[in-house]
Every structure is written in structure tokens, then in C-alpha cells.
Amino acid sequence: MLIARDIGVEAGLFTPAAADKYLAWGGPVVRVVVEAIPWVSPEADGVAAAQAVLAELPTRDVLVHGEGEWAWPVLRWASAQGYDVRGGLEDMLTGHEGQPVQSNADLLGYR
């Protein structure tokens, strides 16, 4: 229904099984997001969770991000690997050194 109305679909993949289902579907998307989320993604840490999903995908043309305590480690790893990344207050409530933040500007060190 969304595609029929020219509304872009974003595929958020939290697990290797979700990646497999996405590939089997094969529908059009505007972006594929590999998401490492504590207590949802079935790995011990965010980088391992992202790597497990990425291993199922035939392309590196994805955006990678983590949430909560996995956000910064995933952002650093994915960025170093050349993946597109994103982060914001909806994903992390502390800055890169663990300091509390109240805005996206705080995350970037602007105040």
C-alpha cells in the first residue's frame, strides 16, 4: 500500500533472520538500515549484532546504527568500516565519552 502511494519504505533489519526475509521479499526500498539493538538483536554486543546481519546481505550499501549502550561502539566500528551511519538522541542518551546529553547538538559537542 505504501509503495502504491509513492511512500518510500525503509527496511530496518535487527537480526539475520530479518535480513533473510527482506532478501526473500525483494521489494523496493529507499534504504536498508542494519540496526543493533540491545535485548532485540541476538548477539552479545552491538558490533557482533551488526556483523551478523551484514553477513546475510549481498551489498555494503546500507546504513548501520545502534541503540542504547551499543550506539557508540556500533557508530565507531561502522564508520571505520566505511558504512553510512546515523546517531541521534533517539538512539543514545550519552555523548561519546559517556557524558549525559540533552540534545543532538550535545552529541556533537556543540553547546
Side-chain angles (χ1 to χ4, degrees), residues 58-94:
T59 180
R60 290 183 50 91
D61 187 20
V62 300
L63 183 142
V64 179
H65 91 104
E67 289 188 14
E69 65 267 22
W70 289 0
W72 283 107
V74 168
L75 188 142
R76 288 183 188 108
W77 173 83
S79 181
Q81 298 301 310
Y83 289 104
D84 290 340
V85 296
R86 80 156 195 240
L89 200 56
E90 72 278 5
D91 304 315
M92 56 188 84
L93 297 176
T94 60

Side-chain angles (χ1 to χ4, degrees), residues 4-101:
R5 294 181 182 203
D6 289 328
I7 297 172
V9 175
E10 181 176 276
L13 309 176
F14 302 85
T15 66
D20 292 340
K21 287 179 183 178
Y22 162 70
L23 291 171
W25 172 58
V29 297
V30 295
R31 178 170 48 196
V32 175
V33 181
V34 172
E35 305 191 59
I37 302 176
W39 311 108
V40 175
S41 301
E43 298 295 334
D45 63 72
V47 172
Q51 289 172 325
V53 174
L54 289 163
E56 300 298 314
L57 300 174
T59 180
R60 290 183 50 91
D61 187 20
V62 300
L63 183 142
V64 179
H65 91 104
E67 289 188 14
E69 65 267 22
W70 289 0
W72 283 107
V74 168
L75 188 142
R76 288 183 188 108
W77 173 83
S79 181
Q81 298 301 310
Y83 289 104
D84 290 340
V85 296
R86 80 156 195 240
L89 200 56
E90 72 278 5
D91 304 315
M92 56 188 84
L93 297 176
T94 60
H96 65 93
E97 294 178 349
Q99 72 277 18
V101 295

